Amino acid sequence: MKRILSILVTLALMLGVCGTFAEEQGTPISGLTALKAEDPAQMAKLIPEFDPAADVYAMYVQSDVYGVRFTPEFIGDDEATVFMSGDGVDSKVVSVASGESFILDLTQQQSMYEREVVSTAVIAVSDKSYTINVHRGDGSALYDAFELLTYSMPDGHDMNYWLHIPEDYDANKEYPVVLYLHGGGQTRQEPGMILKRTQQATAFLAYGYEDAIIIAPHGNYTTMDSEVMGWDYNSQMYGTDEREAQLTVFGEGAYQILQNVKAEYSVDNNRVYVTGGSMGGGGTLAMIASYPEQFAAALACCSGTNTDKLVSALESSPVALWLVFGQGDPIVDYGKFSETPAALDAAGIPYNITVYDQNTFLYPTAHFSWMPAYADTEILAWMFSQHKSASENEIIDIKFEEGTQNEGIDFDPAVKEYEVTLQSDIYGVRVTPYGNGTFTVNDVEVKGGESYTLALSEDHGDYRKELVYDIVVKDADNTYTIKAVREDGSYHYDAFELNTFTLPDGKDMNYWLSVPSDYDATKEYPVVLALHGSGQRTQPPEMILQRSIQANAFVKNGYEAIIIAPQCNYTDLPQEVLSWCDEESKPTIFAQGAYDILQMIKQQYSIDADRVYITGLSNGGRGTQGLIAAYPDEFAAALIIAAYQEMTLSQWDAVVRSNIPLWFVTHVDDVMPAAGVAANTLKLKKLGYDYNLTVYPSTVYLAPTAHFSWVPAYDDSDILDWMFAQSK
């Protein structure tokens, strides 16, 4: 699961809602006065928010976004000139008037889904220019969560299908199942395009439903003509009204694959869902028309079906249904689509519907209405709240989240009490009950799929205590209690000893040092230099270890290393002059002191000089960047988290020439670091240098704010193992 989150935009799963931000401090004489940005998933945001004084912006978009629409407003010129370029797309120049939109394309090349791509727009107006870099990340981690398998059809042909099984699958637990049916475009494409072309099957992983079993069959025989391919005999495609809503050999094959998976794995038969867009939307409706007793819910995008068959099936065995359509769809006629809700209304069958109007930006065409639908957390929460036999106001699942992104509870309606252990730097938890109806969490009313958050203590005196929080979740007939126990962190704090180092000006600098308890001078040990954030500059030195599990994360997670955690602090200096680096990303006396402490420790202990690592969070991330630029030959790897300062191209060039492996971490809602990471990684991209990037999306819960992206990062074994695997 951690790797899936990492991508999450290593790719681009990057979320939020973007709007127009006008200047509040007066109108400039010339230049931009507003800039609106829209992506088809309706989730990306402009970073930072528009400010007439800012001239560089970034956006992170999910892996199936092929264009972003921008609407600039400006004064001083009648037209602005926009220069557009990007990976895998043709460069072009357009002119726009104030308030007129332009679209920045992102590549649709099939070979470019498993890498980060960037498209850039430069808006030139009056004597000013504004640069927007749109990052679409590598989706590999989502794709790699699926395994490609084959099913032998009755006629002897093999049918491919992708299968995702939860990483920690437990045969004693029952799992919801999603059957996803792709659109017509993928019938003749290679199987990987089912996952890559559209973020539909992968959306459930990207948005936090990695505990579901997901099946994505491929409606394709390589030996058959494309005109006979499809999940059902949809009249729009085949002109056979009399067979509409009847499953084809591919639809029946998908159904049989579902039955085989249900037989092989531990499945909650009351939580089986089917979904698809376009041809897959028609297949979804045909599937519930053919086998309504099998499914608890269906999400069908941009398609229609034989309404008589559908209504008859849903009257015999109700299925919760959500329909989606985009007005202006050039493939599916709105009149054809509207027959389905009209028939359901006439029969009194309840359903949900979302129709995106023609002002909604859908791209490449309005047919792509599945893009905002599968990124809509309300729709996804609705689907996973459906249960075939649950009564109204009955809880069918509870999701428990905290900052490390570890698994919370394995909910079982028969089990009323749960206990979760939290590490000592967790400052909030989020609880989401699922089901049809309204529930209470600690006496606060929430609907199924809505979340309740509980803040935990940030008092300095509580880190060496075990704290217990009870969370009580109730439905109409049941009470569930979650006991959240935040552990006493003393066992990893006490692995460090506080020391002082005398700086050149004669003042002492505190630093914590951890040496393996069984230290052996005949062995060589890796060493980690860990730089704290701004908050600990004027706090007691103990807070370096206690406020954030950073330096001590390596002890807590069992890495045998020497760890140095200096403090950027003089007791007689004000906080505003304390920093690891100056505004030009050059080391201050504090960062230089940290480096000198490192050199001293290397002399005092048996160190593996090829495995010297550096990491920092927030202001410490800035310090990490500054030190690797100043001393590029020193470090074997750098882990840079929530750093908000941009370095120059020449500074990064020094890092590149020394070939230092890099991993950047941020959260898309942490605006300044997200912008800083975007700017720095773009420079590395221009230098042709590879790096690792984790951008947590808006759906990833962090407390007390999105700035705390180091909490999951320092608990992510993929990231920490990567660092300790590096050697010069």
Side-chain angles (χ1 to χ4, degrees):
M1 181 183 78
K2 293 280 184 67
R3 186 161 177 262
I4 292 170
L5 290 170
S6 289
I7 126 195
L8 274 174
V9 149
T10 317
L11 64 217
L13 251 189
M14 300 338 218
L15 322 176
V17 179
C18 182
T20 302
F21 302 92
E23 185 181 17
E24 298 179 357
Q25 302 300 321
T27 303
I29 298 173
S30 63
L32 290 185
T33 58
L35 180 62
K36 182 178 182 180
E38 303 164 275
D39 87 293
Q42 300 185 5
M43 296 298 282
K45 60 173 59 176
L46 198 64
I47 302 171
E49 295 181 351
F50 177 72
D51 179 344
D55 57 8
V56 178
Y57 297 90
M59 290 183 70
Y60 291 102
V61 296
Q62 66 184 37
S63 58
D64 65 342
V65 168
Y66 303 111
V68 178
R69 184 167 70 183
F70 295 98
T71 308
E73 296 179 17
F74 51 85
I75 56 177
D77 279 344
D78 292 335
E79 289 187 332
T81 302
V82 184
F83 303 86
M84 291 180 278
S85 61
D87 298 324
V89 296
D90 294 333
S91 298
K92 61 182 178 180
V93 180
V94 299
S95 296
V96 295
S98 179
E100 182 181 357
S101 300
F102 66 89
I103 295 173
L104 177 63
D105 287 320
L106 288 96
T107 184
Q108 298 188 47
Q109 292 183 21
Q110 294 186 19
S111 62
M112 300 186 77
Y113 288 99
E114 295 184 71
R115 51 166 288 190
E116 183 190 38
V117 298
V118 179
S119 285
T120 299
V122 178
I123 305 171
V125 58
S126 299
D127 57 347
K128 300 177 181 178
S129 65
Y130 306 83
T131 300
I132 310 164
N133 297 304
V134 178
H135 299 249
R136 192 182 77 191
D138 179 353
S140 297
L142 288 179
Y143 314 145
D144 291 347
F146 287 79
E147 181 182 5
L148 184 61
L149 302 167
T150 57
Y151 164 68
S152 294
M153 304 284 281
D155 63 5
H157 287 95
D158 284 340
M159 183 174 178
N160 291 318
Y161 67 99
W162 291 98
L163 181 64
H164 164 76
I165 301 298
E167 186 176 354
D168 57 350
Y169 172 79
D170 179 353
N172 295 313
K173 176 184 174 182
E174 292 186 340
Y175 293 84
V177 178
V178 179
L179 175 63
Y180 160 69
L181 305 178
H182 64 72
Q186 285 66 66
T187 56
R188 273 299 184 185
Q189 294 175 341
E190 57 92 10
M193 293 303 291
I194 299 171
L195 305 178
K196 298 173 184 177
R197 176 60 177 167
T198 63
Q199 187 168 295
Q200 296 183 52
T202 55
F204 308 109
L205 307 186
Y207 293 97
Y209 297 97
E210 60 280 336
D211 266 354
I213 293 173
I214 305 167
I215 309 165
H218 193 189
N220 173 293
Y221 286 176
T222 56
T223 59
M224 293 185 72
D225 294 331
S226 59
E227 61 265 21
V228 298
M229 293 181 185
W231 304 111
D232 70 311
Y233 295 98
N234 186 304
S235 63
Q236 290 223 150
M237 296 190 179
Y238 311 117
T240 55
D241 269 5
E242 68 277 6
R243 291 198 296 171
E244 194 176 14
Q246 177 182 332
L247 294 175
T248 65
V249 63
F250 301 105
E252 291 291 354
Y255 176 76
Q256 191 56 55
I257 290 170
L258 170 64
Q259 301 312 306
N260 291 351
V261 169
K262 290 170 63 177
E264 183 175 354
Y265 294 95
S266 180
V267 166
D268 185 343
N269 287 304
N270 285 306
R271 299 183 70 198
V272 178
Y273 312 120
V274 60
T275 183
S278 190
M279 185 184 84
T284 294
L285 296 174
M287 192 68 72
I288 62 174
S290 300
Y291 300 106
E293 71 285 350
Q294 291 286 322
F295 300 99
L299 169 60
C301 301
C302 55
S303 196
T305 193
N306 183 300
T307 55
D308 290 341
K309 292 179 182 178
L310 180 65
V311 166
S312 176
L314 297 186
E315 286 177 334
S316 67
S317 183
V319 178
L321 178 61
W322 198 308
L323 303 171
V324 174
F325 192 79
Q327 289 186 345
D329 188 323
I331 306 297
V332 178
D333 178 67
Y334 181 71
K336 177 66 177 177
F337 166 80
S338 62
E339 291 175 5
T340 301
L344 295 171
D345 286 337
I349 296 174
Y351 63 94
N352 295 282
I353 187 169
T354 297
V355 177
Y356 301 106
D357 64 30
Q358 301 215 31
N359 293 320
T360 302
F361 178 57
L362 299 172
Y363 194 75
T365 74
H367 188 53
F368 281 56
S369 58
W370 57 77
M371 292 186 69
Y374 284 105
D376 189 325
T377 54
E378 179 185 355
I379 293 177
L380 299 187
W382 164 86
M383 191 173 83
F384 281 90
S385 289
Q386 305 310 310
H387 191 280
K388 196 68 176 173
S389 63
S391 61
E392 186 77 10
N393 298 320
E394 179 182 349
I395 291 174
I396 63 171
D397 199 2
I398 297 175
K399 186 175 185 179
F400 181 94
E401 299 169 276
E402 45 87 17
T404 64
Q405 310 306 307
N406 287 317
E407 297 299 330
I409 63 172
D410 288 331
F411 179 75
D412 179 344
V415 177
K416 306 303 181 186
E417 296 184 353
Y418 300 87
E419 183 170 325
V420 180
T421 300
L422 310 174
Q423 66 182 37
S424 56
D425 66 343
I426 295 298
Y427 302 112
V429 298
R430 182 165 71 181
V431 177
T432 308
Y434 289 88
N436 287 312
T438 302
F439 316 109
T440 63
V441 185
N442 283 359
D443 297 324
V444 175
E445 191 173 279
V446 296
K447 295 179 181 178
E450 290 183 346
S451 299
Y452 165 87
T453 58
L454 176 66
L456 309 187
S457 174
E458 298 184 52
D459 291 346
H460 291 189
D462 285 342
Y463 292 103
R464 288 185 178 271
K465 300 176 183 176
E466 181 180 89
L467 303 180
V468 179
Y469 299 85
D470 285 331
I471 302 162
V472 179
V473 186
K474 295 181 179 180
D475 64 15
D477 301 310
N478 301 283
T479 298
Y480 304 97
T481 301
I482 304 171
K483 181 180 180 181
V485 181
R486 196 175 81 177
E487 67 179 6
D488 177 349
S490 297
Y491 71 95
H492 47 82
Y493 310 149
D494 292 344
F496 287 79
E497 179 182 354
L498 184 62
N499 300 273
T500 57
F501 176 78
T502 302
L503 294 168
D505 64 1
K507 294 184 178 179
D508 286 338
M509 182 176 181
N510 292 318
Y511 70 96
W512 291 96
L513 179 66
S514 176
V515 177
S517 58
D518 57 352
Y519 172 78
D520 179 352
T522 65
K523 291 175 56 178
E524 290 187 338
Y525 293 84
V527 61
V528 179
L529 178 61
L531 305 182
H532 63 73
S534 299
Q536 286 66 65
R537 293 176 297 184
T538 55
Q539 292 178 344
E542 290 77 13
M543 295 305 293
I544 296 173
L545 303 177
Q546 295 176 5
R547 176 62 175 168
S548 302
I549 296 179
Q550 180 202 21
N552 34 333
F554 308 108
V555 174
K556 179 177 178 290
N557 290 292
Y559 294 94
E560 190 176 61
I562 293 173
I563 306 159
I564 309 164
Q567 185 175 24
C568 176
N569 177 294
Y570 284 168
T571 56
D572 58 348
L573 282 179
Q575 177 169 315
E576 57 268 21
V577 302
L578 297 173
S579 181
W580 295 111
C581 285
D582 62 20
E583 293 305 312
E584 296 180 347
S585 293
K586 295 178 180 178
T588 63
I589 189 173
F590 305 106
Q592 185 60 51
Y595 179 78
D596 292 342
I597 293 169
L598 170 62
Q599 301 311 307
M600 179 185 69
I601 297 301
K602 288 172 65 177
Q603 295 299 317
Q604 293 177 352
Y605 293 90
S606 180
I607 298 296
D608 184 345
D610 287 329
R611 298 181 66 203
V612 178
Y613 310 122
I614 184 170
T615 184
L617 62 88
S618 190
N619 188 280
R622 293 177 59 198
T624 298
Q625 293 178 169
L627 280 175
I628 61 175
Y631 300 102
D633 295 328
E634 179 69 31
F635 301 102
L639 173 56
I640 303 164
I641 303 178
Y644 47 85
Q645 187 165 349
E646 181 179 352
M647 290 212 302
T648 66
L649 196 64
S650 62
Q651 287 173 315
W652 282 119
D653 186 57
V655 174
V656 169
R657 283 187 281 108
S658 289
N659 199 32
I660 303 174
L662 304 170
W663 197 312
F664 296 90
V665 177
T666 188
H667 190 288
V668 72
D669 293 332
D670 192 14
V671 175
M672 287 180 61
V677 167
N680 285 318
T681 55
L682 187 62
K683 287 184 170 67
L684 290 167
K685 190 176 180 67
K686 289 179 179 178
L687 292 168
Y689 195 64
D690 290 334
Y691 52 84
N692 295 284
L693 171 63
T694 296
V695 184
Y696 296 113
S698 292
T699 50
V700 169
Y701 172 69
L702 298 176
T705 73
H707 190 47
F708 281 57
S709 55
W710 54 83
V711 175
Y714 285 122
D715 195 59
D716 189 329
S717 59
D718 286 342
I719 295 177
L720 301 189
D721 287 348
W722 163 86
M723 190 174 81
F724 278 91
Q726 308 307 312
S727 178
K728 293 187 77 69

